[in-house]
Amino acid sequence: MLSFIKNFLKKGGAPNSAPTLIPAPEHHLSRSLISRNCLGVLDTLANAGFEVYLVGGSVRDLLLGREPKDFDVATNAKPEEIYRLFRNCRLIGKRFRLAHVYFKHEIIEVATFRKQGKKNHHHQVKGQNGLLKRDNVYGTLKDDVWRRDFTLNALYYDAKNNIIIDHTNGIKDLQQGIIRIIGDAESRYREDPVRILRAIRFTAKLGMSLEENTAKAIAKTHMLLAAIAPARLLDETHKLFNSGNAVNTFAALRHHDVLQHLYPLTEEALRHPTLHILADKFILRALQNTDARVAQDKPLNPAFLVSVFLWYPLQITLEQENLNKKDTANHSAFTQLEHTAGKILRQAKQHLAFTQIITQTVIDIWLLQFQLIGRRQQQIHHLSQQPRFRAAYDFLCLRAEGEAPLKPIADWWTHWQQADDEKRQELINTLPKSTRNKKRRYPSKRKPAKKPVPKE
Ligand code: ATP
Ligand code: MG
């Protein structure tokens, strides 16, 4: 890898010049590194007479010695032509018309070469602020390079001839660990502000840094993320936090002041005069756990981090409602929690389009906190059989790391889960009487004991 890059650097090569072609002895990509399904797609298109390349993250990751998440293909075949070549193909997308070729465990995305269209081209529609709403002007390979986001994502691998084609000095940036946007940073972010999130994601994922203009333009354009559909933002947010680099990603999002567009309530909580340190530590612990789970290939519950991000906003809102008792005077603490949880999630959904199942899971995790802490004797078995028990227990353990009074309660649940039936009953018997059968109100809502009326 290094030798081919060194050879390449000797040759030099500037953006806008003729592409640099890197032949086989100077790079270590080969057909054997590409999935069989993807090779099948590449070969079928090539044999049908089309130009076809592996492109994007797969070329980037293979050159870095990483395992690609997926394989993306670029070709001069039009979507309908691709569709006709594969039985297992579907055309998707309005903004970008793409072909998906389906296999048992894999989808290969095949995109037709596109170009940055001329102004007012009816296939390329720009909205307010330069936002690209539709981008279906087809072009050549050279055109296609300029519509891609970063130089290291614009490397094309010709699997037939074993050559890499580099139009933007992407190889040099890749070697130097630089994420550099292609073209003018500000207008590229204006066209598609999601590129800001992608830039941040790649710095964290690849341990690279943003080139100066690529970084600077974020401050001028990140407000445009407010115009992005919550479904697309959710998709990107999922990638940001579930790729094994959540801690670094979160730091980068905060550094660039971008978290406010994904989780504005969390950003507010992280600026809260008294709770910000607790909130920050709580989130950090959750992100560390998430990264550890990804590293161990353990599954992630997509609702868990949502419940973490919105937990302190929930606490702050509950506190405000308690101060301003007007709305809540007649509610039990549990009902108030339920009511406020719903309110928080409705607000959060204006930015990230959480599905109903995520919303419900988050609410369940929160409501179960109340019951896991209360530990009413006759409810213990029932609670432990709740579908969200495990997530709620993990959430409690995470809280307990920062809230000392919760530690013995979390430990009690840990022991209970590990114990046999006999030991479980013993553990239940250890519960203090006051938390067993008596109907309890949430501590903050407890009525003060009535003063005895003095006898005359
Ligand atoms: P990964 O799959 O590891 O998340 P990737 O770079 O492959 O990273 P994809 O979303 O699979 O990301 O996109 C494939 C390629 O399409 C990218 O490498 C890039 O060249 C191009 N691309 C994707 N999204 C954009 C965008 N918003 N603007 C410009 N080009 C994009
Ligand atoms: Mg990809």
Side-chain angles (χ1 to χ4, degrees), residues 35 37-38 41 69-73 88-90 92 98-110:
S35 80
N37 296 329
C38 183
V41 171
K69 201 178 85 214
D70 47 31
F71 290 97
D72 299 303
V73 170
N88 45 339
C89 175
R90 242 184 250 163
I92 59 144
L98 290 172
H100 274 179
V101 186
Y102 288 80
F103 298 92
K104 201 167 175 192
H105 299 293
E106 195 178 5
I107 299 174
I108 306 293
E109 192 165 284
V110 187

Side-chain angles (χ1 to χ4, degrees), residues 55-58 60-61 68-72 109 198 201:
V55 68
S58 45
R60 175 197 71 217
D61 290 346
K69 201 178 85 214
D70 47 31
F71 290 97
D72 299 303
E109 192 165 284
R198 288 176 59 85
R201 175 156 68 90

Side-chain angles (χ1 to χ4, degrees), residues 33-48:
L33 296 172
I34 302 172
S35 80
R36 264 189 35 207
N37 296 329
C38 183
L39 279 178
V41 171
L42 291 170
D43 291 345
T44 306
L45 280 156
N47 294 339

Side-chain angles (χ1 to χ4, degrees), residues 430-444:
T430 64
L431 293 175
K433 281 227 160 50
S434 57
T435 57
R436 272 192 237 163
N437 301 321
K438 223 164 76 183
K439 270 199 175 174
R440 273 199 63 175
R441 290 185 155 247
Y442 195 59
S444 55

Side-chain angles (χ1 to χ4, degrees), residues 328-395:
T328 61
N330 299 320
H331 290 166
S332 78
F334 192 82
T335 317
Q336 186 193 346
L337 183 61
E338 212 173 8
H339 168 86
T340 311
K343 195 163 101 182
I344 293 284
L345 279 157
R346 275 194 300 282
Q347 285 181 37
K349 272 169 110 167
Q350 291 173 6
H351 303 268
L352 301 176
F354 300 122
T355 57
Q356 186 54 31
I357 182 133
I358 289 191
T359 314
Q360 195 50 55
T361 309
V362 172
I363 292 182
D364 289 349
I365 290 174
W366 289 345
L367 294 181
L368 275 165
Q369 297 305 297
F370 188 88
Q371 292 160 313
L372 292 187
I373 293 171
R375 288 177 300 166
R376 286 168 62 187
Q377 241 183 0
Q378 69 274 36
Q379 277 198 343
I380 299 297
H381 283 282
H382 174 70
L383 283 176
S384 68
Q385 276 154 20
Q386 296 291 308
R388 317 284 187 230
F389 169 77
R390 185 69 211 191
Y393 160 75
D394 287 345
F395 192 91

